[in-house]
Amino acid sequence: GAGVSQSPSNKVTEKGKDVELRCDPISGHTALYWYRQRLGQGLEFLIYFQGNSAPDKSGLPSDRFSAERTGESVSTLTIQRTQQEDSAVYLCASSPWTSYNEQFFGPGTRLTVL
Amino acid sequence: QQQVKQSPQSLIVQKGGISIINCAYENTAFDYFPWYQQFPGKGPALLIAIRPDVSEKKEGRFTISFNKSAKQFSLHIMDSQPGDSATYFCAATPDQAGTALIFGKGTTLSVSS
């Protein structure tokens, strides 16, 4: 079946602009995660959604970052007033309830803030 | 505070050799330890994972060794192949729903032919 998809694959924006990144999880996966991967670094957790429960936003680095998810489907990560330090690859992952720790990652969106 | 320390940062191995990547963790609440493989331009893919009820898990050429008392775990790639050239990440998390993976910084493996 189809894996996790993300769009756009690449995004170049100017400092101060807002960006929206999209994630389509694997159908039937109840959990959805967003991570950030800076060049040469590991993945940093940003936010977690599980079904209709309140999201875990503990990893969001500032109030410029927000995310939404509609039920158990698409999620969007929004970064307002982008800064150069926001440049990174943003990865989305989903997992099924039965194997909640087995996270399946999408290919990521490479964000470049000029 | 980095909760999962991974070494080495990069590794060059001859084809047919053994690649060994090490990780150490601090949080005793961690009890699920996966390894992910990432090729350039792709998202990480789950390779193999272990829980602390066993000290070793093997899947094909990939083996995880786990030392609970030392809070360390390692990935061994036997008979390394050029196709194994990728970045490898260890991770750790409590084995419960709704917890994020805490990743090491990654090891870039190059297998020379």
Side-chain angles (χ1 to χ4, degrees), chain A residues 31 33 35 37 40-46 48 50 56 89 91 97 100-108 110, chain B residues 9 32 34 36 38 41-46 51 89 93-106:
Chain A
Y33 302 79
Y35 292 86
Q37 184 175 26
Q41 301 294 312
L43 283 71
E44 303 171 69
F45 165 72
L46 296 176
Y48 158 73
Q50 173 63 52
D56 176 359
V89 176
L91 289 156
W97 178 252
Y100 42 78
N101 271 327
E102 293 185 18
Q103 298 183 23
F104 295 82
F105 283 83
R110 180 174 298 277
Chain B
Q9 186 175 356
Y32 176 77
Y36 280 80
Q38 186 178 31
K42 305 289 187 182
L46 179 62
R51 290 177 170 85
F89 293 95
T93 190
D95 191 12
Q96 60 191 60
T99 56
L101 292 168
I102 307 300
F103 284 85
K105 291 192 174 183

Side-chain angles (χ1 to χ4, degrees), chain B residues 61-79:
Chain B
R61 296 185 294 109
F62 301 90
T63 299
I64 299 179
S65 297
F66 182 77
N67 185 329
K68 187 173 181 178
S69 60
K71 291 187 285 186
Q72 295 176 346
F73 59 110
S74 60
L75 176 69
H76 296 233
I77 306 174
M78 312 300 288
D79 187 26

Side-chain angles (χ1 to χ4, degrees), chain B:
Chain B
Q1 180 186 6
Q2 184 185 356
Q3 297 189 58
V4 179
K5 294 183 179 179
Q6 184 172 346
S7 63
Q9 186 175 356
S10 62
L11 183 61
I12 300 174
V13 172
Q14 295 269 7
K15 179 181 175 182
I18 302 173
S19 304
I20 301 174
I21 305 170
N22 300 298
C23 283
Y25 63 98
E26 299 167 0
N27 190 337
T28 55
F30 291 160
D31 51 10
Y32 176 77
F33 305 91
W35 284 90
Y36 280 80
Q37 180 187 56
Q38 186 178 31
F39 293 105
K42 305 289 187 182
L46 179 62
L47 193 60
I48 186 173
I50 197 168
R51 290 177 170 85
D53 52 339
V54 295
S55 61
E56 187 175 280
K57 183 173 181 180
K58 183 176 180 179
E59 289 184 3
R61 296 185 294 109
F62 301 90
T63 299
I64 299 179
S65 297
F66 182 77
N67 185 329
K68 187 173 181 178
S69 60
K71 291 187 285 186
Q72 295 176 346
F73 59 110
S74 60
L75 176 69
H76 296 233
I77 306 174
M78 312 300 288
D79 187 26
S80 299
Q81 298 297 311
D84 297 331
S85 298
T87 299
Y88 293 82
F89 293 95
C90 63
T93 190
D95 191 12
Q96 60 191 60
T99 56
L101 292 168
I102 307 300
F103 284 85
K105 291 192 174 183
T107 296
T108 300
L109 171 66
S110 296
V111 181
S112 60
S113 53

